[in-house]
Amino acid sequence: MTDTATTLSGEKARIGSPSIAGFTEEGENLSPLNEDASPLGGDASKAHSHGAAAGIPQASRGERPTSYDLADFPALTGREEDWRFTPLKRLGGLHKAAPSADAPAVALAGSEGLALETVAMDDARVGSAGVPDDRVSANAWNAAKEATVLSIPAGAEGAEAILTIKGDSSEAAAQHVVIVAEPNSSSVVVLDHVGTAVLAQNVEVDVKEGAKLTLVSLQAWQNDAIHTSAQQAKVGKDAYYKHVAVTFGGDLVRLTPSARFDGPGAEAEMYGLYFADAGQHLEHRLLVDHNQPRCKSNVLYKGALQGKDAHTVWVGDVLIRKNAEGTDSYEANRNLVLTDGARADSVPNLEIETGQIEGAGHASTTGRFDDEHLFYLMARGIDEKTARRLVVRGFLNEIIQKIGVADLEDRLNETVEAELAATEN
Amino acid sequence: MSTLEIKDLHVSIDTEQGTKEILKGVTLTINTGETHAIMGPNGSGKSTLASTIAGHPRYNVTSGSILLDGEDVLEMSVDERARAGLFLAMQYPVEVPGVTMTNFLRTAKTAIDGEAPSLRHWTKDVKAAMANLKIDADFANRNVNEGFSGGEKKRVEILQLELFKPRFAVLDETDSGLDVDALKVVSEGVNRASENHEMGTMLITHYTRILRYITPDFVHVFVDGRVAEQGGPELAEQLEEEGYDRFTVKA
Ligand SMILES: Nc1ncnc2c1ncn2[C@@H]1O[C@H](COP(=O)(O)OP(=O)(O)OP(=O)(O)O)[C@@H](O)[C@H]1O
Ligand SMILES: [Mg+2]
């Protein structure tokens, strides 16, 4: 069991190794875009990393280029800070040619009065909450033929929507989804990804003033699916946003959920649960951008791994910018490795630019379930099967309980059971 | 009355240098109601004996037998042994990630009894047992042994002893690493367990201090993988003064 945890509060805090302004590990910054737009930069920016890849310096997360124009992102080499864990060969070409196949179908089930709209990419709501910050996302943005929009009306209470996104093709496709939670609405939205696909996706989430939105992105793909998804949220004044990523299926899944605040007093909770089997690559890269005062964020991702070459990557970037006084933030990632041959990378990055905060902390643990654990439990009368289930269920349950959607919780519990049953044969 | 019979037990382990014999013919019989202290130098095989009784897969029994009321314990899996009434308080209790104490205790109790305990009584029993052993109530929400101090782990072993009510308990250096007060608290826990239900105890220790709280009926001197001498409580005092020289220096 390795354990690294740091908690900071009060005084101005600086973590990590110094970085040179304008330089990344690859040399010069990839693109000078948005240089002026970033209040973080130069000597004040610090990065921090742990885990297998500890020690590689990284430019501030706040300096990463963003653009709607694909030409602003150089072709990927796999050495980029944000792609260094991803096997590009298995991306199904999503980072190369424009993905031109039809996007998976989206079907809505949910509260009365809710409806999906299909709009052109020049609709005002497209681009309201996100700007691509990597090449694959920009590629998808440009290639998307249309956008699917779901709006939760202002003042709606307890609205529920399940968007089933069902893929049936292995040709590269781009998809654009926009979810707008109008002011003072409260809702739960589920993106349920099933079937198979080679899909580059952008999901924009606009949580307007005083709105409460829980967005669950469930990756329940078949074994061969390839899926990248940039899920960018803008969280308005006094709004509440809960994002839950649940990833079981697919050959390669790479989710980049982010939350940016758009007014003070907002709160973001970002939870995740992943279960990687032999050969799967499941990657989650988070960003919480504290660019407003008095906002709160809490991040917790938990993952279980089993089987040869099961690989998970978790990177959690939390940026607390100069003007974000009164910030309260915590992020943690916990992995449980069930068998030999699996690998979990975990890199929390906390960058703090102001001392006027309530608190900021991070933690990362990767534990192994081994024969000694099994012996201990069995020496107390618990049979082997129950012992394994006890450990994995107990571990993942903390996240499942946070979803707050009973049907989905049941379904996830069943999925965990099925995953466990798979190792027993 | 129940009997745990260990007869001419030979145990070896596989090491990188090949097979190594650790137990070289252990014979020992414990009846419920009796307390047997086992004392012996480091590396003499005491933990090996304890782990072999519990069924740890690392230890290979090459000959001999362990019988519980005539039933072949060596034929049983680890969990079957526990359900048959054997309990091992480990020298180094294992941290189990992901499982809370509450969940663990309930699951184990259910497995051992063959039915779930009545929720109301069980919660009360656990609370009371924890209070008796001066274990803070919020340990219930923590993962099994995770981050517990050495002494806390030992208390939690005895907590399980009290809750699971085994017929035979093997306590492997439960007293090591305990402060003076904790030693008393833990000893009282063991005594409560043997008062509340009939239990045979094998108490592995290096110190006579614990034997002032838990009085042994028999003391066995364990040297080089076998019992070298047996006696009453006075043997422990003698060992404390003289050490193990006279057993280890071969005639
Ligand atoms: N995995 C192993 N590889 C090599 N030797 C081992 C292994 N496990 C146990 N041994 C050896 O077996 C012998 C007996 O060990 P054991 O732990 O049973 O002793 P002990 O009497 O409990 O000692 P202590 O009083 O220090 O707890 C020791 O010499 C030990 O080094
Ligand atoms: Mg020992």
Side-chain angles (χ1 to χ4, degrees), chain B residues 13 15 20 22 41-48 58 91 173 206:
Chain B
I13 54 163
T15 71
K20 181 177 169 189
I22 300 175
N42 294 132
S44 55
K46 303 180 299 297
S47 293
T48 301
R58 189 191 305 139
Q91 184 173 2
E173 294 199 29
H206 287 293

Side-chain angles (χ1 to χ4, degrees), chain A residues 222-393:
Chain A
Q222 289 169 19
N223 293 338
D224 56 346
I226 300 169
H227 182 205
T228 69
S229 186
Q231 308 193 337
Q232 304 198 41
K234 187 172 84 179
V235 187
K237 182 168 176 284
D238 297 324
Y240 168 83
Y241 176 52
K242 174 155 78 179
H243 181 274
V244 187
V246 181
T247 308
F248 292 99
D251 175 66
L252 182 148
V253 174
R254 186 181 187 277
L255 236 64
T256 48
S258 64
R260 284 188 181 78
F261 296 107
D262 195 39
E267 181 175 356
E269 294 186 293
M270 306 191 73
Y271 300 119
L273 166 65
Y274 46 86
F275 200 132
D277 293 320
Q280 277 187 307
H281 178 95
L282 306 181
E283 179 167 351
H284 297 85
R285 289 178 167 264
L286 281 287
L287 167 65
V288 182
D289 190 347
H290 278 277
N291 50 354
Q292 293 284 341
R294 296 183 309 286
C295 290
K296 268 175 81 169
S297 69
N298 186 29
V299 176
L300 178 62
Y301 269 63
K302 287 186 135 185
L305 296 83
Q306 64 186 12
K308 190 172 177 298
D309 297 327
H311 188 194
T312 65
V313 177
W314 180 87
V315 179
D317 292 337
V318 175
L319 261 171
I320 302 174
R321 304 199 192 232
K322 249 192 199 105
N323 65 334
E325 71 269 9
T327 290
D328 191 357
S329 128
Y330 194 79
E331 60 163 343
N333 172 227
R334 311 205 180 276
N335 295 298
L336 181 62
V337 180
L338 298 170
T339 65
D340 284 339
R343 170 185 168 145
D345 285 298
S346 177
V347 187
N349 291 312
L350 180 57
E351 297 180 54
I352 307 176
E353 256 254 300
T354 172
Q356 310 300 312
I357 57 172
E358 292 284 310
H362 68 171
S364 161
T365 59
T366 297
R368 278 190 58 87
F369 182 67
D370 64 22
D371 292 347
E372 292 300 323
H373 300 139
L374 196 60
F375 175 69
Y376 190 83
L377 296 174
M378 290 179 71
R380 301 311 186 229
I382 303 170
D383 66 87
E384 175 168 356
K385 212 160 125 179
T386 307
R388 282 189 182 281
R389 285 173 184 216
L390 188 63
V391 168
V392 177
R393 256 201 239 130

Side-chain angles (χ1 to χ4, degrees), chain B residues 106 116-129 163:
Chain B
R106 195 177 356 94
S118 122
L119 209 59
R120 213 157 45 89
H121 289 122
W122 176 244
T123 313
K124 232 173 59 197
D125 290 353
V126 173
K127 274 204 182 126
L163 292 171

Side-chain angles (χ1 to χ4, degrees), chain A residues 19-189:
Chain A
S19 61
I20 301 164
F23 278 78
T24 67
E25 59 182 306
E26 288 90 28
E28 256 181 278
N29 263 349
L30 300 177
S31 163
L33 277 178
N34 290 341
E35 222 167 33
D36 300 334
S38 170
L40 251 191
D43 291 334
S45 65
K46 299 288 175 269
H48 182 60
S49 73
H50 289 292
I56 299 173
Q58 180 201 355
S60 167
R61 183 64 165 87
E63 289 171 6
R64 189 170 299 167
T66 59
S67 171
Y68 295 110
D69 187 354
L70 180 62
D72 288 329
F73 298 94
L76 297 184
T77 63
R79 290 189 302 275
E80 296 79 5
E81 169 57 33
D82 57 333
W83 290 98
R84 63 197 171 100
F85 291 111
T86 317
L88 296 183
K89 280 201 198 90
R90 286 164 59 188
L91 260 186
L94 292 172
H95 59 308
K96 291 183 177 159
S100 56
D102 285 342
V106 185
L108 169 72
S111 309
E112 223 172 291
L114 294 182
L116 290 180
E117 289 173 75
T118 301
V119 303
M121 287 298 283
D122 60 2
D123 187 276
R125 287 165 294 186
V126 173
S128 61
V131 190
D133 65 358
D134 67 50
R135 185 175 169 89
V136 174
S137 167
N139 201 18
W141 198 294
N142 282 285
K145 298 175 180 124
E146 55 194 24
T148 303
V149 178
L150 174 72
S151 287
I152 310 295
E157 268 180 46
E160 281 185 24
I162 296 179
L163 276 62
T164 302
I165 300 178
K166 190 168 194 302
D168 56 7
S169 154
S170 293
E171 277 175 68
Q175 184 164 50
H176 203 100
V177 178
V178 181
I179 294 155
V180 183
E182 295 290 353
N184 304 312
S185 60
S186 86
S187 58
V188 176
V189 177

Side-chain angles (χ1 to χ4, degrees), chain B residues 68-86:
Chain B
L68 176 59
D69 290 335
E71 283 209 52
D72 189 353
V73 170
L74 296 175
E75 283 295 309
M76 301 179 195
S77 62
V78 176
D79 50 319
E80 283 169 352
R81 296 178 196 204
R83 293 199 294 271
L86 300 178

